[in-house]
Amino acid sequence: MVDVVLLVAVALLAAGVLGTVVPLVPGGLLSLSGLYFYWWQSGFAEPGTGTMIVLTILGLVTLFVEFFAGSIAARAGGASWTTTGLAAVVGILLMLVTGPLGLLVGLFGTVFVVEFVRVGDVNRSTRSAIYATLGILASTAVQALLTVSILFGFLIGVFVF
């Protein structure tokens, strides 16, 4: 017999994995929702408390990466906080219109232009734009790895331990 609660939890966890590569879908939050939904429905018995602590930490790290990795990368490349904020707004707006490519192009272009106006150095502006763009791509890869780890950790915690 199929356990509906388990299916819903796994569906939320799988949606969390997909959410890391689909813009504006909170992958980490969906993963944590699946974990806690199942844990609550199991009477806080499965998975065990230790497993839940580890998986919750992974979920929180995923949320941190989702929200802050792009900004950290832009700052590492020398961009100002103003540039980073403007790039995030423009990237999101363009993503809504043109999809993920708009996010990347908007982010790169905004960081480059604003940093060039701010410092007047093509090389520094280019470096900041590259850091910001690669930061977004790297953050997506890290989020995907973390949410897959949460999914497999959950399955192991429920079926093995």
Side-chain angles (χ1 to χ4, degrees):
M1 184 165 155
V2 176
D3 183 9
V4 175
V5 171
L6 179 63
L7 285 177
V8 170
V10 171
L12 285 167
L13 288 159
V17 174
L18 290 174
T20 61
V21 295
V22 175
L24 296 179
V25 177
L29 195 57
L30 285 169
S31 292
L32 286 171
S33 298
L35 283 175
Y36 281 91
F37 173 74
Y38 187 81
W39 199 45
W40 174 60
Q41 290 293 318
S42 74
F44 308 105
E46 287 184 342
T49 305
T51 302
M52 284 300 294
I53 290 170
V54 170
L55 295 177
T56 298
I57 291 169
L58 288 175
L60 293 173
V61 169
T62 303
L63 289 172
F64 178 82
V65 168
E66 184 175 355
F67 293 123
F68 299 111
S71 297
I72 292 169
R75 291 288 297 154
S80 70
W81 286 115
T82 302
T83 301
T84 303
L86 286 171
V89 170
V90 170
I92 289 170
L93 290 174
L94 284 176
M95 180 187 58
L96 293 173
V97 176
T98 62
L101 184 59
L103 169 67
L104 295 175
V105 170
L107 180 73
F108 184 91
T110 303
V111 170
F112 178 81
V113 169
V114 173
E115 281 301 297
F116 183 73
V117 168
R118 189 174 77 88
V119 297
D121 183 357
V122 171
N123 291 332
R124 183 172 171 186
S125 301
T126 303
R127 186 184 83 192
S128 294
I130 289 171
Y131 268 66
T133 306
L134 291 178
I136 290 291
L137 294 172
S139 104
T140 300
V142 168
Q143 289 174 62
L145 290 171
L146 287 168
T147 54
V148 165
S149 298
I150 294 168
L151 173 60
F152 285 126
F154 170 79
L155 293 173
I156 290 168
V158 169
F159 292 111
V160 176
F161 293 123

